[in-house]
């Protein structure tokens, strides 16, 4: 690694910091520009995926092209490489297959007619994926069976992410969209289990989506990526879009008040709560400082809810929790968006703009410096992680765990503004 020196002694030169963010973004983009080379170099690659696939690359170059049209051919090249992998698996979520390509193409548009032919081919497949998921889960609800994998409703594979895609692509009264929103609301209704009732979004599985001996009765997931906070964000966007489904505001209040009630003693949030603890009213320690499973991600979404329903108490709780948690971040393992420094950088960017609280500015600079210090020009994509870290391996190009997501966060920081193209809707942050 070649340190930038930006986290050394003394305050960094903030002009130099933003300039370095722009420079590194450009260097990373140059390494990600050739679709075939990226696919051949990455340790893990699924062509249609937002994470570790061409769709995620298209998000980066689509955002860069908002300011510099010279990136447009690279957007086209990555989208074409995605399209070459069609039809993909049926029934996939936002981060996979047809929905991932649909989101990437939609986000890359400059005018409504851009990629119109491609999107016209993809939209019916997205509808089919959503309706298949709804039909599958309706059978469970009709039998009043509690317990479902969080992948049925989460941001990456399930209904929260797919609903966010529909909100981007459909009019407010679209039948598939309204059915999806109504189903998210149904998941808030308690269901019977062993003579008691459990929340409708309780999962009998562990935090990795499979049985876990440490969670024998399953858990309630509070993360943005795989938990109820992602559902909250989708409902907030539905509220703003004025989707004509009764109960959206009540659903937002239901989840937001749950988050308010289930804070830790110092006002932060756990990643998850085992069912026994949830039933007994106990809240475990806070989760890691992260977008996926942690207080900063929950805070950003709760702040959105507070803006939507004009609840200053929710907004204050979100700001206070984020500032406390980010003062001494925990569990930050790499530079990526999902649970790394770039994720904290982007969350402070989002919360700073949304809240107007000047205290987030210093945190942005701090996390930008930490992210930039992870840049290593000796790596194929400039950033990497310990191979033991798991998804993506040492050389990850992707949105959540790799170089494209890091470059997007640095680009937003350098611009001093939220993403122009709204790529962070994939994180349920817009």
């Amino acid at each position: 690694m070649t340190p930038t020196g930006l986290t050394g002694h003394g305050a960094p030169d903030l002009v130099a910091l933003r300039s370095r963010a722009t420079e590194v973004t450009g260097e990373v983009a140059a390494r990600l520009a050739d679709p075939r080379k990226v696919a051949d170099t990455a340790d893990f690659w699924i062509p249609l995926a937002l994470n570790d696939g061409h769709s995620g690359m298209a998000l980066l170059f689509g955002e860069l092209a908002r300011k510099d049209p010279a990136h447009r051919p690279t957007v086209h090249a990555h989208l074409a490489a995605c399209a070459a992998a069609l039809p993909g698996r049926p029934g996939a979520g936002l981060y996979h297959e047809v929905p991932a390509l649909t989101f990437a193409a939609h986000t890359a548009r400059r005018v409504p007619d851009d990629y119109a032919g491609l999107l016209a081919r993809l939209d019916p497949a997205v509808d089919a994926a959503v309706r298949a998921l709804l039909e599958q889960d309706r059978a469970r609800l009709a039998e009043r069976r509690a317990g479902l994998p969080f992948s049925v409703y989460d941001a990456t594979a399930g209904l929260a992410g797919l609903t966010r895609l529909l909100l981007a692509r459909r009019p407010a009264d679209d039948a598939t969209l309204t059915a999806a929103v109504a189903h998210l609301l149904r998941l808030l209704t308690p269901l019977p289990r062993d003579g008691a009732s459990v929340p409708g979004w309780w999962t009998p599985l562990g935090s990795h989506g499979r049985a876990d001996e440490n969670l024998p009765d399953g858990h309630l997931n509070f993360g943005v990526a795989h938990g109820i906070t992602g559902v909250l964000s989708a409902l907030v966007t539905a509220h703003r879009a004025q989707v004509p489904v009764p109960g959206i505001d009540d659903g937002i209040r239901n989840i937001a008040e749950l988050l308010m009630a289930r804070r830790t003693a110092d006002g932060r949030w756990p990643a998850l709560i085992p069912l026994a603890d949830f039933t007994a009213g106990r809240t475990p320690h806070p989760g890691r400082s992260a977008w996926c499973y942690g207080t900063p991600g929950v805070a950003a979404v709760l702040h959105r809810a507070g803006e939507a329903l004009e609840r200053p108490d929710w907004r204050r709780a979100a700001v206070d929790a984020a500032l406390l948690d980010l003062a001494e971040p925990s569990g930050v393992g790499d530079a990526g968006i999902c649970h790394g420094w770039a994720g904290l950088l982007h969350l402070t960017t989002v919360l700073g703009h949304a809240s107007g609280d000047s205290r987030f500015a210093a945190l942005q600079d701090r996390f930008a410096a930490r992210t930039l210090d992870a840049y290593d020009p000796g790596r194929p994509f400039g950033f990497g992680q310990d191979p033991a870290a798991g998804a993506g391996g040492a050389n990850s190009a992707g949105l959540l765990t790799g170089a494209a997501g890091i470059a997007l966060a640095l680009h937003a920081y350098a611009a001093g503004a939220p993403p122009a193209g709204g790529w962070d809707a994939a994180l349920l942050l817009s």
Side-chain angles (χ1 to χ4, degrees):
M1 181 182 301
T2 303
T4 66
L6 292 168
T7 57
H9 297 294
D13 179 335
L14 300 184
V15 173
L17 193 60
R18 291 185 187 271
S19 176
R20 180 62 175 156
T22 299
E23 179 184 353
V24 168
T25 298
E27 291 178 13
V28 171
R31 295 163 186 253
L32 298 175
D34 184 329
R36 179 172 294 181
K37 185 176 181 181
V38 176
D40 289 343
T41 303
D43 290 336
F44 185 71
W45 194 254
I46 301 175
L48 284 163
L50 281 179
N51 194 44
D52 295 312
H54 295 293
S55 294
M57 305 303 103
L59 286 187
L60 170 61
F61 289 100
E63 184 68 17
L64 296 177
R66 301 277 171 172
K67 184 176 181 180
D68 182 359
H71 290 290
R72 295 301 300 173
T74 309
V75 179
H76 303 332
H78 277 290
L79 289 177
C82 286
L86 291 172
R89 292 182 298 112
L94 176 60
Y95 274 68
H96 310 285
E97 311 297 329
V98 168
L101 175 53
T102 305
F103 181 80
H106 174 86
T107 306
R109 297 182 314 162
R110 298 163 301 166
V111 296
D113 286 343
D114 281 351
Y115 308 116
L118 174 63
L119 289 165
R121 292 170 52 202
L122 298 175
D123 282 336
V126 172
D127 275 3
V130 173
R131 291 193 174 279
L133 186 156
L134 294 179
E135 191 60 33
Q136 174 188 345
D137 200 45
R138 280 185 187 126
R140 178 188 66 87
L141 289 175
E143 297 171 8
R144 293 185 58 74
R145 283 188 285 115
L148 74 166
F150 57 64
S151 59
V152 171
Y153 70 86
D154 75 355
T156 63
L159 195 55
L162 288 170
T163 299
R164 184 62 187 87
L165 174 58
L166 292 173
L167 284 159
R169 292 290 306 147
R170 304 289 194 274
D173 61 352
D174 174 79
T176 305
L177 171 59
T178 56
V181 172
H183 199 87
L184 288 177
L185 292 171
R186 289 188 70 184
L187 297 181
L188 305 182
T189 301
L191 291 172
R193 178 183 182 268
D194 295 342
S197 67
V198 295
W201 45 283
W202 165 73
T203 176
L205 305 174
S207 60
H208 296 288
R210 52 184 179 267
D212 184 341
E213 62 182 13
N214 296 315
L215 294 167
D217 293 318
H219 73 284
L220 285 303
N221 196 302
F222 279 66
V224 179
H226 303 303
I228 196 62
T229 307
V231 174
L232 174 60
S233 185
L235 292 177
V236 168
T237 306
H239 162 90
R240 290 178 169 171
Q242 299 183 325
V243 174
V245 172
I248 291 176
D249 288 7
D250 288 340
I252 292 171
R253 292 187 192 95
N254 177 311
I255 301 173
E257 292 296 353
L258 172 71
L259 293 176
M260 294 291 284
R262 292 294 179 151
R263 289 175 289 175
T264 60
D266 60 5
R268 291 182 283 177
W269 287 281
L272 56 84
I273 302 181
L275 179 60
D277 288 344
F278 187 89
T279 302
R282 296 188 295 265
T283 300
H285 296 299
R288 73 203 315 180
S289 301
W291 165 74
C292 55
Y293 275 110
T295 290
V298 175
V301 172
L302 182 62
H303 196 279
R304 293 190 76 221
E307 290 178 314
L309 295 195
E310 299 181 354
R311 289 292 298 266
D313 55 329
W314 299 349
R315 298 198 302 269
R316 282 194 302 271
V319 167
D320 290 347
L323 291 171
L324 174 65
D325 193 77
L326 294 171
E328 295 184 15
S330 64
V332 184
D334 55 49
I337 284 277
C338 187
H339 42 255
W341 295 114
L344 300 188
L345 169 60
H346 194 63
L347 286 163
T348 52
T349 298
V350 168
L351 280 163
H353 285 291
S355 69
D357 193 310
S358 61
R359 290 173 291 180
F360 285 108
L363 290 170
Q364 286 182 61
D365 299 331
R366 175 185 172 193
F367 298 142
R370 292 299 299 263
T371 305
L372 290 166
D373 273 347
Y375 178 64
D376 182 353
R379 288 187 177 273
F381 305 128
F383 291 96
Q385 56 184 314
D386 185 333
N395 298 313
S396 173
L399 175 65
L400 291 183
T401 57
I406 296 168
L408 282 164
L410 288 171
H411 179 69
Y413 168 74
W423 64 265
D424 60 357
L427 305 177
L428 302 186
L429 296 178
S430 63

